Amino acid sequence: DVKVTQSSRYLVKRTGEKVFLECVQDMDHENMFWYRQDPGLGLRLIYFSYDVKMKEKGDIPEGYSVSREKKERFSLILESASTNQTSMYLCASNPLRRRGGELFFGEGSRLTVL
Amino acid sequence: SQQGEEDPQALSIQEGENATMNCSYKTSINNLQWYRQNSGRGLVHLILIRSNEREKHSGRLRVTLDTSKKSSSLLITASRAADTASYFCATGNNAGNMLTFGGGTRLMVKP
């Protein structure tokens, strides 16, 4: 089975802190995605990557950056956390040959910024 | 931008009844997918229907797609309490790059 692992299920940070959300997948998938989920707004794409060191902006990249140094790992970085970044963050992956196809999700990281 | 819009936003039914959720979208798609999310967890893929397909089944799930109306429906037959979850539709575009998700339908199945 495909496994997408997000390092932290729950985090509490203070405004202005730098936050790292880590995601690792074990199926050699080329594509990796970071979504943000808020009540009533569904999932919104922050960034995605289709290869090592490659990244593309999604719908809401402001206030976020990403890093993909290794194929299996995709990190989401909040350079200076703000309260409006309190949310559930979901990482997902799929193989390059199935772009636009089924996504495999991690369990999510619920971030609270105080 | 939110491509898919689910309807209703919330649905409460008794165990054994059928549950129907609808999804409407705005632009041309390559495929439409349905996902399930248990409270506080990640999303799990349920079913994918391609733009040239009209109906697809998987166990107790039946998905229909009407590209002329830009809409899809997910039917869960003989619902169980364990079906209680949020259900999301997601559309894949013709460029094949990414999925766009709707706001979801919260389904509660009462035992």
Side-chain angles (χ1 to χ4, degrees):
Chain A
D1 282 350
V2 175
K3 192 161 179 65
V4 179
T5 303
Q6 293 184 232
S7 56
S8 303
R9 288 293 311 277
Y10 301 95
L11 303 95
V12 179
K13 299 292 182 181
R14 297 208 173 272
T15 300
E17 280 192 77
K18 190 169 185 175
V19 181
F20 291 88
L21 299 179
E22 305 284 344
C23 175
V24 177
Q25 48 91 7
D26 66 357
M27 282 302 291
D28 203 35
H29 287 169
E30 289 81 4
N31 301 325
M32 296 189 75
F33 306 81
W34 274 106
Y35 285 89
R36 169 178 173 157
Q37 183 179 22
D38 299 288
L41 296 178
L43 278 72
R44 293 178 291 168
L45 182 64
I46 305 172
Y47 269 97
F48 68 100
S49 168
Y50 52 88
D51 200 356
V52 175
K53 297 192 185 297
M54 304 300 289
K55 61 183 180 183
E56 296 282 347
K57 292 180 180 179
D59 296 322
I60 53 164
E62 297 78 18
Y64 303 94
S65 63
V66 290
S67 172
R68 185 121 182 247
E69 296 296 320
K70 294 184 177 181
K71 190 176 184 180
E72 67 271 19
R73 186 180 298 269
F74 192 34
S75 303
L76 180 69
I77 303 155
L78 288 66
E79 293 288 344
S80 178
S82 63
T83 55
N84 62 13
Q85 292 179 310
T86 291
S87 187
M88 172 74 129
Y89 291 89
L90 292 162
C91 175
S93 72
N94 72 354
L96 184 66
R97 66 183 182 279
R98 291 171 65 182
R99 280 197 305 175
E102 175 187 356
L103 288 180
F104 298 87
F105 280 87
E107 287 294 303
S109 298
R110 185 167 293 282
L111 172 67
T112 301
V113 182
L114 302 175
Chain B
S1 59
Q2 209 162 307
Q3 159 81 309
E5 296 285 344
E6 284 92 339
D7 170 56
Q9 290 188 337
L11 180 61
S12 181
I13 59 174
Q14 293 294 136
E15 207 164 27
E17 294 180 342
N18 295 341
T20 300
M21 289 160 268
N22 302 297
C23 170
S24 59
Y25 57 92
K26 298 171 185 171
T27 61
S28 296
I29 62 170
N30 175 272
N31 67 73
L32 187 143
Q33 303 174 37
W34 286 90
Y35 289 80
R36 168 194 167 125
Q37 183 182 36
N38 288 348
S39 180
R41 309 297 292 272
L43 278 72
V44 176
H45 182 262
L46 294 175
I47 196 164
L48 180 153
I49 186 166
R50 301 195 185 285
S51 59
N52 60 355
E53 297 176 309
R54 291 296 166 258
E55 188 170 313
K56 204 161 184 180
H57 296 255
S58 177
R60 292 183 296 113
L61 305 180
R62 173 178 168 252
V63 170
T64 61
L65 178 64
D66 186 336
T67 53
S68 66
K69 295 181 179 178
K70 292 187 168 57
S71 67
S72 173
S73 67
L74 170 68
L75 169 67
I76 304 174
T77 60
S79 64
R80 305 166 182 167
D83 294 327
T84 294
S86 291
Y87 293 82
F88 294 86
C89 69
T91 53
N93 61 27
N94 289 320
N97 288 333
M98 65 189 82
L99 297 182
T100 304
F101 286 81
T105 292
R106 294 188 313 278
L107 173 66
M108 176 175 289
V109 181
K110 300 175 187 175

